[in-house]
Amino acid sequence: MTALLLLPLLLPLALPALARRALDRLAPVAALWAVTACAVVLAGCSLAALGSFVLIGLLKVPLFAALGELIHPLRTASDLVVLPAAATSVGALAVCGWTLVRSVLHQTRAFRAARTEAGRGPSAGDLCVVDSPRPDAYALPGRPHRIVVTTAMLRSLDGPEREALFAHERAHNDGHHHYFLAAAELAAHCHPALRPVRGTIRLAAERAADEAAAASVGDRRLTARAIARAALAGQAARSQRPDFAPAATTGPVPQRVQALLAAPLVPRAGRAIAALLIACTAVSCAASVTGLADVHHRVEVAQGDERP
């Protein structure tokens, strides 16, 4: 049982490397879906494993054993293993919860401020222009979705480059990339090993929007130039937008520009990477489900409802 519950805590360690390889070998949209789904499932399985260790530790305490109506001792590994694991799990869950609450509050304040700022400026369709000396442009989710661009950013680009930038941000809204970024942020607070994956998911979202913008304007070099110039203009600016609001100026821009200037990605060994991601997710799910079922069975045995 203990070994099974350890697997969901160890498997996320492999995801950062797998996520980077997936982005190199899969189409950006496919990589975005695959890596985000894997991160969310691994995060959920790790939380389930931590919760199981906490439950086992609590049922070792006479007060909680009485509340759980245990008439026999709960059969587990040695208390020298179970109790420290339970205490560590309590601390880990407390830290996860605290950092997640802080992140949600911060992101909520930033989102409200961004929506308020966007509502003050003139708009044309889904485009909102904010009068600001700070060059910035980003896709702002909500009802309705908005493309927010500052006057300083508009002055930094020529007409065709502006259209490419708008196409990029519009692709973020059309692809609902804010959901992927929010899921990556949530997973990052559930397991420390998933924090680097957050950057990979953001890069996958930007790469997906880059490709959609290039297809929309019909010119990969123009799209690359627009992104490079927008990033150079906005590199010294500090944006107040929430982290789940994607922007063309974020991420490793040189890597994105290089990908646009090259030929469209032809997946290399994409099936193998996809298979590894699926296997990692499946093993974690199977281990957590089997571990939880075993804990449930042991509790029922201790309650006298089933035979060992």
Side-chain angles (χ1 to χ4, degrees):
M1 175 180 63
T2 303
L4 283 176
L5 293 177
L6 285 176
L7 271 178
L9 300 177
L10 296 176
L11 284 173
L13 298 173
L15 187 57
L18 288 176
R20 290 192 297 269
R21 292 181 67 85
L23 187 55
D24 291 337
R25 296 172 181 262
L26 295 174
V29 173
L32 178 62
W33 277 95
V35 174
T36 304
C38 189
V40 170
V41 172
L42 291 182
C45 291
S46 67
L47 290 180
L50 291 174
S52 298
F53 280 124
V54 172
L55 176 62
I56 294 169
L58 288 176
L59 293 178
K60 286 289 187 177
V61 178
L63 174 62
F64 290 98
L67 292 175
E69 300 180 351
L70 302 188
I71 61 177
H72 304 296
L74 183 65
R75 297 180 59 185
T76 63
S78 170
D79 290 355
L80 296 177
V81 175
V82 171
L83 295 181
T88 303
S89 299
V90 169
L93 288 174
V95 171
C96 290
W98 171 246
T99 58
L100 180 60
V101 169
R102 288 184 59 187
S103 177
V104 169
L105 293 176
H106 172 72
Q107 299 301 326
T108 300
R109 287 193 296 266
F111 176 69
R112 289 177 178 174
R115 293 292 296 187
T116 301
E117 184 182 42
R120 292 172 181 168
S123 61
D126 62 348
L127 180 64
C128 295
V129 179
V130 176
D131 186 13
S132 173
R134 171 173 48 86
D136 198 12
Y138 55 92
L140 185 63
R143 295 184 179 179
H145 293 330
R146 296 292 191 186
I147 298 172
V148 181
V149 60
T150 63
T151 51
M153 179 62 79
L154 292 177
R155 289 192 296 267
S156 301
L157 306 176
D158 60 27
E161 290 169 349
R162 293 174 189 172
E163 291 302 320
L165 180 65
F166 298 158
H168 175 98
E169 303 302 350
R170 193 166 287 115
H172 280 310
N173 283 333
D174 292 342
H176 302 287
H177 292 167
H178 52 282
Y179 289 124
F180 295 92
L181 300 183
E185 183 71 20
L186 175 64
H189 291 284
C190 296
H191 197 291
L194 298 178
R195 292 174 186 171
V197 180
R198 177 172 46 187
T200 304
I201 292 174
R202 179 172 291 275
L203 176 56
E206 295 303 327
R207 288 280 307 280
D210 290 343
E211 294 295 332
S216 177
V217 301
D219 190 335
R220 298 179 68 86
R221 296 187 67 85
L222 170 61
T223 306
R225 186 171 73 247
I227 291 170
R229 292 191 63 183
L232 287 174
Q235 65 181 352
R238 295 185 61 185
S239 177
Q240 300 301 316
R241 63 178 179 267
D243 291 340
F244 58 81
T249 57
T250 59
V253 174
Q255 181 179 343
R256 292 168 50 203
V257 170
Q258 184 180 5
L260 280 170
L261 294 178
L265 179 67
V266 176
R268 305 184 309 273
R271 293 182 180 178
I273 293 299
L276 285 174
L277 289 173
I278 293 173
C280 187
T281 304
V283 170
S284 182
C285 286
S288 60
V289 169
T290 305
L292 288 172
D294 186 58
V295 171
H296 182 263
H297 174 70
R298 290 171 187 263
V299 170
E300 288 190 331
V301 170
Q303 290 174 334
D305 295 336
E306 291 188 11
R307 293 184 179 181

